[in-house]
Amino acid sequence: MTTRTDVYIAETGLEATTDAKVERPVYRRPGFKGIPSSKEMDESIAKSLRAFRIEKDLSRAELALLLGSIEAVYGRYERAITKLHATQVLHLCEVLEIFPDDLLYDAAPHLWGRTKEEADERRRITKMIQSLPPDTLRTVATILDSIFALQQK
């Protein structure tokens, strides 16, 4: 590796690990309980997907229909047998009326903060902001702009 890459790895807190489908080391940032495997993250996303489908009172067959798929194919997503592509995640979010972070947060909460408490608080605030009506959202944006301007002084 180059010195520049080594510096980047150190600055971002990445650690070398293995992935069952990759022969060379991969670099990941540890989560709050170590580095989750791809399988663990897939299973977490699948669990969230199932929970949101049930919350919307949709059967697997109904959701598959809305996705232009069939129940057997969709069921593999909920069982973490088939990985979801980013475009499929976005389509699911459209159909289920959720945000992408609704599916992803539990799989990698460390991406939302350096500690579990920080991540949970950032997630809580994000959920509140996502639920605001447009007029209130503009007010909150103005307040945040003022806070950031003060911090830069």
Side-chain angles (χ1 to χ4, degrees):
M1 264 190 249
T2 66
T3 302
R4 182 178 152 174
T5 307
D6 289 336
V7 168
Y8 183 82
I9 289 167
E11 287 177 349
T12 55
L14 297 173
E15 293 182 11
T17 188
T18 58
D19 186 301
K21 295 186 178 188
V22 181
E23 292 180 16
R24 296 181 289 200
V26 297
Y27 289 81
R28 303 268 313 280
R29 197 170 101 206
F32 303 128
K33 298 177 183 175
I35 299 175
S37 68
S38 295
K39 181 181 180 193
E40 289 169 325
M41 289 190 298
D42 288 337
E43 288 171 351
S44 177
I45 292 167
K47 181 180 175 183
S48 294
L49 179 58
R50 182 177 191 274
F52 283 111
R53 176 186 57 77
I54 291 169
E55 181 181 299
K56 299 294 180 173
D57 195 28
L58 292 168
S59 68
R60 283 183 176 177
E62 289 169 324
L63 185 51
L65 178 72
L66 297 173
L67 299 171
S69 187
I70 60 173
E71 183 178 359
V73 171
Y74 172 77
R76 290 195 290 266
Y77 299 140
E78 280 193 13
R79 292 188 308 278
I81 294 168
T82 302
K83 292 180 184 248
L84 289 163
H85 297 282
T87 51
Q88 292 167 314
V89 168
L90 295 173
H91 189 187
L92 282 160
C93 290
E94 290 172 345
V95 171
L96 293 170
E97 296 184 299
I98 60 174
F99 290 92
D101 57 318
D102 292 326
L103 285 178
L104 304 176
Y105 179 77
D106 288 337
H110 62 284
L111 296 177
W112 276 258
R114 296 278 178 196
T115 65
K116 176 85 167 98
E117 294 75 23
E118 179 187 343
D120 288 344
E121 188 67 5
R122 192 176 310 275
R123 175 78 171 131
R124 185 178 76 82
I125 291 168
T126 300
K127 293 305 298 171
M128 286 191 293
I129 289 172
Q130 290 170 338
S131 68
L132 292 174
D135 289 345
T136 307
L137 190 58
R138 280 189 281 283
T139 302
V140 170
T142 301
I143 293 167
L144 289 174
D145 287 339
S146 298
I147 291 170
F148 286 117
L150 288 172
Q151 284 182 336
Q152 290 182 351
K153 287 184 179 181

